[in-house]
Amino acid sequence: MPNMSTNKQLYNGETVSGKTLSDADFMRYSRQVLLPEVGEAGQLQLADACVAIIGLGGLGQLAAQYLACAGVGNLILIDMDKVEVSNLPRQLLFNDGDIGLNKARVAKRKLNNLAPHCTVTAHETAFNAETHADQLADVLLAKQQGKRVLVLDCTDNFATRQSINRCCIEAALPLVSASIAAFSGQLFAVDQMQLPSGGCYQCIFPAQTRVSQSCGTQGVLGSSVGVMASMQSLVAMQLLLSMDSDCDKAQNSLLGHFWRFDAKSLVWTSAALTRDPHCNVCGSKELHPSFNMHSKLHSMEI
Amino acid sequence: MILIHINNIPQSLTEPTSLAAVILGQNIALDSVAIVLNAEVVPRNRWQSILCQHEDKLELFSAVAGG
Ligand SMILES: [Zn+2]
């Protein structure tokens, strides 16, 4: 995998890997490319990246816009729900004319306009044991090809969150998860390959955890959902741009943290994640850095 | 006397008390929260075996699943 330290040496606009940004892309992404943390190499890395966004509600519809417009080359959008009128105050990608249409399908169409260079795939199905192998096949393929990959959990219920976590652990995919209900937001990033000591979602909240909070029952302000989606996107961008773990402590310090946001006081609280050695999702499994895709897809069936 | 803080509220313990017992003492169900002890998430499996120390800072919170 080309990393930024070797790929970033610019000489007449040439990178070591031989790829360069077009003049149009230099203009378009100039405010990002100006950052030493991005540069031309980082922008090219984003163009190669593949990110799955599960859930196109308040969180997912905004994260999808940020990532697509920032130049992430491949987005996989997964949602079986249809746009409802009660979504519109916070899901700004959608409007009245979209009511009744599938969210992933509408989001794909709109992102094609906002970010024509982003290849968007829409899966209009629920994320579950029957569907996820198909939904994440492109992400796993990109991972095998050495490209940057990421899964964003933007869903609205605990059971699906558990299932996404399990799937990411088993397929060794990095996961950035955000959630919000009422005035409480939560955000964390885990990556079994880069930081196994951070454990997983199940280590924090075992499957039998009682959960009462959802936007549907508790309500939420659109702007606070936007804060969480923006932070999730920010973590995602930095993970997509980060170099290998040993040489970039700063980027990887985003892994293995659990942040809570109090949308009333605007206070963020951070805690370190610790692995539960007895966790039945991440605790006992042998993880392999490179795996056979077919055997992996099979073993992913929960 | 062992003085601890639970979500920033001081609480005194008269004898060494496990995290699990502290939570139950708050009338909170063990399966409804996560615990951060001194800025580190403590997996639920360890709550019985960890005894609170003087000046420990505990944060209890429930899972938020909405989006
Ligand atoms: Zn775990």
Side-chain angles (χ1 to χ4, degrees):
Chain A
M1 183 187 304
N3 78 28
M4 280 172 66
S5 60
T6 55
N7 206 17
K8 206 153 81 178
Q9 315 302 324
L10 300 185
Y11 181 72
N12 290 341
E14 293 255 341
T15 62
V16 170
S17 69
K19 283 194 203 166
T20 56
L21 278 181
S22 68
D23 289 349
D25 281 353
F26 251 118
M27 294 285 286
R28 189 179 193 98
Y29 302 115
S30 58
R31 299 302 187 272
Q32 293 177 186
V33 172
L34 265 175
L35 294 166
E37 290 80 359
V38 182
E40 182 176 26
Q43 195 63 52
L44 289 165
Q45 202 161 293
L46 291 176
D48 259 354
C50 183
V51 178
I53 299 180
I54 310 175
L56 273 298
L59 296 168
Q61 59 85 31
L62 186 56
Q65 292 179 72
Y66 270 128
L67 297 184
C69 292
V72 170
N74 303 278
L75 285 187
I76 314 296
L77 309 180
I78 303 166
D79 201 324
M80 71 173 300
D81 287 344
K82 294 177 168 61
V83 178
E84 296 176 21
V85 67
S86 66
N87 300 150
L88 301 182
R90 64 189 178 285
Q91 300 177 20
L92 308 185
L93 188 60
F94 308 131
N95 56 36
D96 287 282
D98 303 320
I99 291 171
L101 302 176
N102 176 270
K103 287 184 177 179
R105 184 193 301 197
V106 175
K108 175 187 158 121
R109 171 165 50 82
K110 301 211 171 180
L111 292 174
N112 283 341
N113 285 324
L114 288 170
H117 302 307
C118 181
T119 303
V120 183
T121 308
H123 290 276
E124 305 181 19
T125 43
F127 182 93
N128 60 38
E130 283 76 48
T131 57
H132 64 54
D134 177 50
Q135 291 163 346
L136 296 182
D138 287 347
V139 182
L140 290 170
L141 185 63
K143 179 184 158 73
Q144 283 197 319
Q145 294 168 340
K147 297 172 178 172
R148 296 299 167 110
V149 297
L150 212 50
V151 174
L152 302 194
D153 185 344
C154 301
T155 60
D156 62 1
N157 68 86
F158 188 67
T160 308
R161 288 179 179 277
Q162 290 283 345
S163 143
I164 291 168
N165 175 65
R166 180 179 290 271
C167 182
C168 287
I169 295 295
E170 293 185 353
L173 292 169
L175 168 67
V176 183
S177 173
S179 61
I180 181 147
F183 289 91
S184 296
Q186 297 180 348
L187 171 68
F188 67 91
V190 289
D191 184 339
Q192 287 305 293
M193 301 312 298
Q194 295 224 40
L195 193 73
S197 62
C200 74
Y201 189 52
Q202 172 94 10
C203 297
I204 314 165
F205 293 114
Q208 67 276 17
T209 300
R210 277 193 260 169
V211 181
S212 54
Q213 306 196 11
S214 77
C215 296
T217 58
Q218 290 205 309
V220 73
L221 292 177
S223 41
S224 61
V225 185
V227 169
M228 296 310 297
S230 297
M231 288 293 274
Q232 183 179 28
S233 306
L234 182 55
V235 172
M237 287 293 291
Q238 295 198 55
L239 293 179
L240 291 173
L241 290 164
S242 69
M243 298 187 291
D244 297 332
S245 53
D246 338 336
C247 52
D248 198 356
K249 295 278 188 285
Q251 307 283 12
N252 285 284
S253 69
L254 294 179
L255 292 172
H257 284 271
F258 191 90
W259 292 277
R260 286 175 293 139
F261 177 60
D262 179 347
K264 279 187 179 166
S265 65
L266 308 188
V267 171
W268 284 89
T269 314
S270 167
L273 291 176
T274 51
R275 177 182 213 130
D276 177 0
H278 305 291
C279 173
N280 60 23
V281 174
C282 75
S284 57
K285 297 218 168 43
E286 282 295 316
L287 292 164
H288 305 286
S290 57
F291 51 82
N292 177 289
M293 189 170 156
H294 296 290
S295 67
K296 202 67 212 178
L297 288 177
H298 181 74
S299 70
M300 272 165 52
E301 289 162 14
I302 297 166
Chain B
M1 185 80 88
I2 301 163
L3 183 70
I4 62 171
H5 294 263
I6 304 175
N7 290 350
N8 290 321
I9 296 165
Q11 166 105 13
S12 54
L13 307 172
T14 52
E15 57 183 17
T17 310
S18 70
L19 289 176
V22 165
I23 293 169
L24 290 172
Q26 302 278 309
N27 286 321
I28 294 170
L30 293 179
D31 62 358
S32 67
V33 288
I35 301 181
V36 168
L37 171 61
N38 302 329
E40 203 169 274
V41 176
V42 182
R44 204 170 282 172
N45 280 325
R46 297 176 57 208
W47 294 358
Q48 297 284 357
S49 56
I50 293 181
L51 297 179
C52 289
Q53 309 288 313
H54 189 59
E55 305 217 314
D56 272 352
K57 287 184 169 48
L58 271 67
E59 298 158 57
L60 311 183
F61 55 89
S62 50
V64 173

